[in-house]
DNA sequence: TCATTAACACGGG
DNA sequence: CCCGTGTTAATGA
């Protein structure tokens, strides 16, 4: 069974699945590959089949901020409208781990939208999901102090990796949350004293 | 009060 | 030696 079928056979009608199989180009990329950058134009929309993509916002002066992750079975809806309107990307997308991505051309994307109700549903659902993720991201920023932001960051990572042991440095967390490493180190130390995590070099074990 | 910046020591690879 | 980590002191919002 193909990756496409695994994720979408229950969701898409057979005709759409077949078009996906023949028309969407599958690419395999290792971790840390830039899929799309801010200001860039793109001619396809990525559909994540395995692995995960990290989507972040960036500012030249004030650094970057993690928005959300795209896990397997998800699509980057922002890029869809972005290339439809011939606009520039507002976000940056980097593979978080080795991933497989199906590239759907903008022509197929729009054709399927009127042709297949299941495709339409999928796209609208994706929008809904992304929008909700954005709301959580905003809530985190507005209402949570740094302790809670770090905790929810760690929990997201654990869920994504399906592993309580995270290979990550304090500086990487600081970059994702757009703060300084001093703060991360201090709060992580505090979380360790509260028996919520265990700290090692290049590694954090989440005990929640 | 809490974040940021700079600076320093420690230690493992 | 280099890098990640833990901490402090000064400064700012």
């Amino acid at each position: 069974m193909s990756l496409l079928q695994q994720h979408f056979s229950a969701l898409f009608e057979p005709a759409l699945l077949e078009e996906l199989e023949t028309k969407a180009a599958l690419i395999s990329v290792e971790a840390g590959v830039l899929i799309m950058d801010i200001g860039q134009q793109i001619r396809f929309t990525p559909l994540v089949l395995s692995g995960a993509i990290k989507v972040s916002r960036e500012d030249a002066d004030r650094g970057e901020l993690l928005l959300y992750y795209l896990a397997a079975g998800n699509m980057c809806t922002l890029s869809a409208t972005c290339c439809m309107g011939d606009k520039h990307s507002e976000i940056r997308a980097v593979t978080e781990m080795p991933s497989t991505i199906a590239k759907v051309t903008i022509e197929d994307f729009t054709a399927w939208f009127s042709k297949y109700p299941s495709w339409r549903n999928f796209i609208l659902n994706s929008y809904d999901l992304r929008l909700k993720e954005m709301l959580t991201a905003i809530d985190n920023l507005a209402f949570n102090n740094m302790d809670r932001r770090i905790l929810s960051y760690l929990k997201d990572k654990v869920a994504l990796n399906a592993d309580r042991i995270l290979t990550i440095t304090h500086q990487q967390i600081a970059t994702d949350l757009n703060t300084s490493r001093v703060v991360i180190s201090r709060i992580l130390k505090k979380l360790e004293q509260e028996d919520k995590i265990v700290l090692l070099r290049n590694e954090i074990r989440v005990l929640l």
Side-chain angles (χ1 to χ4, degrees), chain A residues 17-45:
Chain A
L17 264 178
E18 206 176 308
E19 281 210 58
L20 259 172
E21 295 272 12
T22 54
K23 292 185 175 170
L26 293 197
I27 54 168
S28 295
V29 285
E30 63 271 41
V33 173
L34 184 70
I35 304 294
M36 177 183 348
D37 207 352
I38 292 168
Q40 193 182 328
Q41 280 178 322
I42 206 164
R43 292 294 301 157
F44 64 89
T45 70

Side-chain angles (χ1 to χ4, degrees), chain A residues 4 7-8 10-21 23-24 44-49 73-77 79-81 83-84 102-127:
Chain A
L4 275 166
H7 288 293
F8 301 114
L11 220 54
F12 294 160
E13 49 240 80
L16 172 55
L17 264 178
E18 206 176 308
E19 281 210 58
L20 259 172
E21 295 272 12
K23 292 185 175 170
F44 64 89
T45 70
L47 193 55
V48 183
L49 299 185
N74 286 107
M75 127 165 303
C76 185
T77 37
S79 71
T81 38
C83 60
M84 238 187 287
K103 296 163 133 185
V104 177
T105 66
I106 189 59
E107 289 80 15
D108 287 335
F109 184 97
T110 42
W112 295 345
F113 200 84
S114 49
K115 202 161 154 194
Y116 301 110
S118 61
W119 180 254
R120 213 153 45 225
N121 278 336
F122 175 66
I123 301 304
L124 292 177
N125 266 326
S126 299
Y127 263 106

Side-chain angles (χ1 to χ4, degrees), chain A residues 77-173:
Chain A
T77 37
L78 274 176
S79 71
T81 38
C82 161
C83 60
M84 238 187 287
D86 218 22
K87 304 242 175 63
H88 294 254
S89 174
E90 300 287 336
I91 50 96
R92 163 175 297 173
V94 178
T95 48
E96 175 75 6
M97 53 185 81
S99 308
T100 316
I101 295 162
K103 296 163 133 185
V104 177
T105 66
I106 189 59
E107 289 80 15
D108 287 335
F109 184 97
T110 42
W112 295 345
F113 200 84
S114 49
K115 202 161 154 194
Y116 301 110
S118 61
W119 180 254
R120 213 153 45 225
N121 278 336
F122 175 66
I123 301 304
L124 292 177
N125 266 326
S126 299
Y127 263 106
D128 191 46
L129 268 176
R130 289 311 123 215
L131 200 55
K132 281 176 180 156
E133 298 247 35
M134 294 280 287
L135 286 180
T136 336
I138 293 175
D139 283 350
N140 256 319
L141 263 180
F143 305 125
N144 284 351
N145 51 28
M146 198 47 82
D147 308 38
R148 302 190 55 176
R149 286 183 66 197
I150 291 177
L151 259 183
S152 92
Y153 174 88
L154 291 177
K155 278 189 209 159
D156 282 356
K157 279 271 192 200
V158 166
L160 199 64
N161 294 0
D163 192 347
R164 296 186 172 283
I165 299 175
L166 305 174
T167 307
I168 194 169
T169 68
H170 298 183
Q171 184 55 61
Q172 288 172 47
I173 303 176

